[in-house]
Amino acid sequence: MEAFNTFARHILLVVTTFLALCATATAQQITVYSAGSVAVGQTRQLTAYVPLSPNTVTWSVNGIAGGDATVGTISGTGKYSAPKTVPMTPTVSVKATSTANADKSGAVTLTITQPPVQLWSISPTSVPLGPYTIRINGANLIASSVVYAGDVALKTTYASATSVSATGTPSAAQAGKQIAITVRNPGLGGTTSSAVQLSVTTETKPPEPTPTPTPTPTPTPVPTSNPPNPGAGLGTANLAAGRMLEQAAFGPTPAELARVNQLGVNAWLDEQFAMPESAIPDPGGMQSGQLQQEYLSRLSTAPDQLRQRVANALGQIIVISMNKNIYPNEMVPYLRILSRHAFNNYRDLLDSITTSSQMGKYLDLANSNKPGPGGGANENYPRELMQLFTIGLSMLNADGTPQLDGAVKTIPTYDQAAVQQVALALTGWTFPGPNNNNWENFSGPMKPVDANHDTRVKNFLGCTLPAGQNTTQDKDATLDCIFKHPNVGPFLSLRLIRSLVTSNPSPAYVQRVATVFNDNGAGVRGDLKATVRAILTDAEARNDAAAVSSGRLKDPIYHVVSFARALNGKISLANGLPWQFSQMAQTPLTPASVFSFYSPLYRIPKSTQVGPEFQIYTPTESVLRGNLFWQMISNPGGDFTLDTSPFTAVASDTVKLIDAVDQALLYGRMSTPMRQTLANIITAQPDATSRVQLALYLTALSGQFAVQH
Amino acid sequence: MTNSAQFPSRRDLFRLSAGSAAAAAIHRLGVTSAFAQSVPDYKALVCVFLAGGHDGHNMIVPQSQVSYDAYMKIRKGLVLPDGNTKLHQITTKGGTPYAFNDGLAALGPLWLQDKLAVVANVGMLVQPTTRAQYLAKSVPLPTNLFSHADQVIQMQAGDPNGSGGTGWAGRAADALQAMNAAATFPAAFSMNGAALFCTGKVIQSASLYPGFDLSLNGMSGWPASAAAAKAQALQDIIKLDSGVSVIQAANKVRQDALALNQMLRNAGKTASLVTKFPGTNLGQQLQQAAQIISLRASTGISRQIFFCSLGGFDTHSNQSWTYWDLLKQVSEAMFAFYSATAEMGVADKVTTFTESDFGRSLEPSGTGSDHGWGNHHLVMGGAVKGGDLYGTFPFPALGGPDDSGNRGVLIPTTAIDQYGATLAKWFGVDAASMSSVFPRIGNFTTADMGFMG
């Protein structure tokens, strides 16, 4: 009865080591993921969640250690192999028993099925009252397959493993209604397909001509519009360039794809590094919404895509939000700092940010004066400077993994006293203006006011700032101290890799990038250009064969911008998209807090894999994104300019249409089953527009397009 | 809280299969056995966030003569009753008279039935703070008091720095994850867009806007079989095994959306509530919450949190009518929600409470009031020890012991930590886990205000 078990499902083993990050007092029980069906001869990887130490388990099937040929076998790592034939009792219990404590175990029930029968389409899809014959296209059909109309078994004639026909007669009561057509493969471990609806029209079949006893009239031949076999497609000649542009740009446009193919990765990077910076318009006279619209448009059109991509990634690390800095002049200079420094030195970026009046407002460093006796200075910026912009909360190894102490706990990078010391060191900054404490003014960077600076000695992170230094000296010394902390390289490398390439990089990849951040080869620390190049040219980034742990879920803005670019299009300068993105938890330039739109540490629910963008990808957001794709495809209006002509040009040729969509959105990686599914549904569409729209839409909705990989 | 970036072992891959069960249910309309499990122990926390900083001073007004005289003297043009707003008399268990703003009249019966409590002078604190300590700045204080952007974050985060990127209810649901292990359904819903309140380290804030159904556009067709074929094609595509776990997880979200859509549609058809909700935005949000609660048995969820919000409380001017009208929306929506939970037999399993950015100044400012700090809040539900007032109701006095300055900006006498911990304890968070929900709860004398049964 597990019609959904279309293809072999594998679940790789995760013996979860629940780090202190999420650890709460959890009941000590073993949970095995997950119940379901396995077809004969297929395998299924099981997962045991073991909150014990050590977290290893032994596996058994129906009480037989390792299982056997009758009930199926299980490997030491939890990979279950179903038997060759369905056992007399088609359900088996697979149990994981703790090696640490034999009393603790968890089990899961698996149902062994025959190869699952599938129903892809029926023809015709509507019939008049009276006897009818339908043809079923599907898979794993067998000679004993029976077609059902609702609960009524139909006379079924087997043609092939992918085709049967069936005859039936709807009851009068079914006129004007729909009947659910399914196919069942009977017998032990039999399966039922999903349903396709057959409509019964109210008209009656014209009366048959005078009945003649012989010969029996053959059933009226069904018009067959069998979908073509789309084959494997045109290959992946554009895959390398496409992947590069997913990581180094907001996805490929046809022209940019050609450019990377022409120049190669390194020369294309050189070209991008040298490209003039796209201007960010002056805020004067601009409305807040216009800044957001301009930002979206710029991401879709700017020639200096790499700079836009990196500046955007930096903006998710060093955050200012328009929910507090609501006017364009409270944002634009900050955006320019990110853009200008995207390929410069991170230390210089930190300096510009620390003294920026925009950040001075957002995290309250502006007018943080030396405190009176017993008091403290404003800690908001000092805390986030360390926690979010540079070193993080716990000590890291050179490869970005956390250092653990003897008790296997993470080691804090700093304590509250350090925050207070940094806060004192960063006192004395105010908005531009004539006074020692000025009202908000965003016409330039903040100015130092030594009269408001705390000149006492400060100690933090192993550094000592001597007494008597002025505002600027203490700021420089503070940033030097933090910037030299060994965490900065791995911390920032990991965040940038997560933003640009993959959510789950190998520690070795992080370490290779961090090494370049620490020293660009010329003895310079913090060279962002060298760091970005190291990220994008690393073998792990350039490996075009996706590994199980590859990929990064596109965030809403990236997802939509990349779709527009793939259709050789752009977002208009005046667009209504900020509101739409706000519904998807990514109001442009307006993250909810200094922690940005989503946490870089967020894990995919019920998984050990990191997937930051999943924090704002729930069922509702998935539908909202889908609906926006549909708007783009069906009615782009004034929000987008898109070019679907390459697809309409081949609309009448199903295979060519699928090839065009496959190349534009998936760089030739569309799997053969997906191509067949598209071929089936496209063939059933009544006109060219519907064919193009559906091919693009269903592909845009796929996980393959949602994840850069 | 840690900044750990990587697991030491990274063979980590978990391909999700729960979505396939959900998908199967879609194919067989009305078949919910895939989800059916007994839910012996369901509880929900429902936050109604009064955005903008509501004026608690005029939500509940002291009626003992000496207090009311002091109130009248300070509130001047904002004194209730006035031309717009009458007062609705209530009495605490101890016999102290108060009056609700008549905008709350719809909730009056629940006070009499002991299903509604008031918690007085709640707000964001780092530790207990006196006026002297505040003025001397001799104790740590929340950052950016009186700033909307910061206080909205802090009150939802339950953190005086707004740090951490998680909300206190999200962390409470994190702590109780094991109770939801069997569920294929979101544990946290915001009816108002992704909310920090509902975001845990593990728990996602699933959004569900009132009136928004989860049907994908562009999937219709005629005849119906054509639409069914499209839906089937989408199902087939998102069920394909890509061999890449992030892709599988992305497909699962879309599959969950299809399943959720079907469940909500079925709920709309079969489990429609007799209770009528007001057509206001908040009414629709709470109706949506009620509808999701009605699915609890079939979704296997055991602990759920909901976030609803109504804006407009930043009443710097024209407060009188505006505030009455807003409270009327709140009380009518909350009463309907309570009635719906009673209809479903879960009145004592669902607790609804208000939060806000901050309170407002006792002293008026023109026809309105200014940003304050401590505020009075409502807690409603069958498990509430209602008909009473908890915490300490401040005596109205400018420059008095509860005033942070001289305008009646109250220094909270109950921390949001204590308010939330009382709710979280009822929700099921045990004492050992409470510090993961409210890390500073140990700074305060009690973690249980006593208003939950």
Side-chain angles (χ1 to χ4, degrees), chain A residues 655-696:
Chain A
V655 177
K656 283 185 179 165
L657 174 58
I658 292 170
D659 285 340
V661 172
D662 183 10
Q663 289 298 318
L665 299 183
L666 301 178
Y667 327 122
R669 285 183 294 185
M670 194 183 288
S671 66
T672 305
M674 181 164 165
R675 291 170 62 86
Q676 184 65 59
T677 299
L678 281 182
N680 296 347
I681 194 71
I682 290 168
T683 305
Q685 298 312 305
D687 56 61
T689 302
S690 307
R691 291 161 63 91
V692 169
Q693 288 181 347
L694 201 58
L696 285 169

Side-chain angles (χ1 to χ4, degrees), chain B residues 242-307:
Chain B
S242 63
V244 178
S245 61
V246 181
I247 293 176
Q248 298 307 103
N251 278 332
K252 182 182 181 303
V253 175
R254 193 162 290 294
Q255 232 159 16
D256 287 350
L258 296 169
L260 195 53
N261 187 32
Q262 198 60 56
M263 281 194 261
L264 292 172
R265 282 168 170 261
N266 290 345
K269 280 180 200 143
T270 60
S272 65
L273 295 160
V274 175
T275 305
K276 292 282 176 267
F277 281 78
T280 57
N281 186 294
L282 184 62
Q284 298 304 298
Q285 293 182 47
L286 284 167
Q287 181 173 24
Q288 189 95 284
Q291 210 155 53
I292 292 168
I293 290 171
S294 76
L295 294 170
R296 67 198 177 284
S298 58
T299 56
I301 196 88
S302 174
R303 287 293 182 276
Q304 259 179 329
I305 55 179
F306 296 91
F307 182 82

Side-chain angles (χ1 to χ4, degrees), chain A residues 332-401:
Chain A
V332 166
Y334 151 78
L335 296 174
R336 287 175 174 169
I337 289 170
L338 296 179
S339 173
R340 183 183 349 127
H341 288 290
F343 304 146
N344 289 348
N345 194 287
Y346 197 65
R347 172 67 179 78
D348 297 336
L349 172 57
L350 287 176
D351 192 80
S352 295
I353 284 292
T354 302
T355 57
S356 129
S357 53
Q358 289 71 32
M359 184 59 86
K361 169 175 178 164
Y362 186 61
L363 291 180
D364 309 289
L365 194 61
N367 296 324
S368 174
N369 297 342
K370 65 178 175 189
N378 193 298
E379 297 168 8
N380 213 8
Y381 182 76
R383 179 181 295 104
E384 310 308 1
L385 170 65
M386 292 193 284
Q387 181 180 344
L388 298 178
F389 304 170
T390 53
I391 63 177
L393 289 172
S394 64
M395 294 297 295
L396 301 178
N397 295 309
D399 63 4
T401 57

Side-chain angles (χ1 to χ4, degrees), chain A residues 13-15 30-32 45-50 52 54-67 73-80 93-108:
Chain A
L13 178 73
V14 186
V15 176
I30 293 177
T31 310
V32 180
Q45 190 74 50
L46 300 175
T47 305
Y49 167 58
V50 187
L52 297 166
N55 57 11
T56 44
V57 296
T58 57
W59 295 90
S60 61
V61 183
N62 284 2
I64 305 163
T73 59
I74 182 117
S75 76
T77 56
K79 185 174 185 178
Y80 175 78
S93 174
V94 182
K95 185 163 151 187
T97 305
S98 166
T99 52
N101 183 347
D103 290 344
K104 303 288 183 190
S105 64
V108 69

